[in-house]
Amino acid sequence: MFKKEEDFIENLNQIRRIKTSFVIADKTIKTARNGKDYIEFSLTDKTGQITARMFPNQGANDIYQGIEKRVFILLMELLMSFPVILATSV
């Protein structure tokens, strides 16, 4: 996939929909205030690093175990103050 200049991390500065790829540098399971688990990722490209979060309805541990570090992830979602990953392909 060819990455557009506007989709590099250093240029992610507005609310918009994106479809691009990043490398997963790190991943962590955390618990939200409502008691549900979510997954927090550090995503990288050649220009920097950004934090993204995935809020699965259930099975956060299973999803977490199935995602490897240092692999590419395709992010297709609305870019907000932090990306929320809803649709991914590893």
Side-chain angles (χ1 to χ4, degrees):
M1 170 195 264
F2 177 73
K3 193 162 187 159
K4 295 184 261 182
E5 189 67 29
E6 65 196 34
D7 291 339
F8 283 106
I9 288 174
E10 70 180 5
N11 299 323
L12 298 178
N13 56 7
Q14 62 184 7
I15 296 174
R16 61 185 172 89
R17 293 216 172 266
I18 61 171
K19 181 179 179 182
T20 192
S21 60
F22 299 102
V23 174
I24 299 172
D26 200 14
K27 62 179 183 162
T28 309
I29 287 193
K30 296 190 172 185
T31 303
R33 285 178 268 172
N34 64 7
K36 292 185 178 183
D37 289 337
Y38 68 94
I39 305 169
E40 186 171 274
F41 300 92
S42 292
L43 304 178
T44 63
D45 66 18
K46 68 179 185 178
T47 66
Q49 184 170 322
I50 193 169
T51 300
R53 297 181 179 106
M54 176 187 282
F55 297 90
N57 289 330
Q58 58 187 8
N61 285 312
D62 292 336
I63 294 169
Y64 176 85
Q65 295 300 324
I67 298 172
E68 296 183 34
K69 293 182 189 176
R70 294 181 176 69
V71 297
F72 284 93
I73 187 168
L74 176 61
L75 179 66
M76 298 179 295
E77 195 45 62
L78 179 65
L79 177 67
M80 298 181 290
S81 58
F82 59 88
V84 177
I85 300 172
L86 294 179
T88 61
S89 173
V90 177

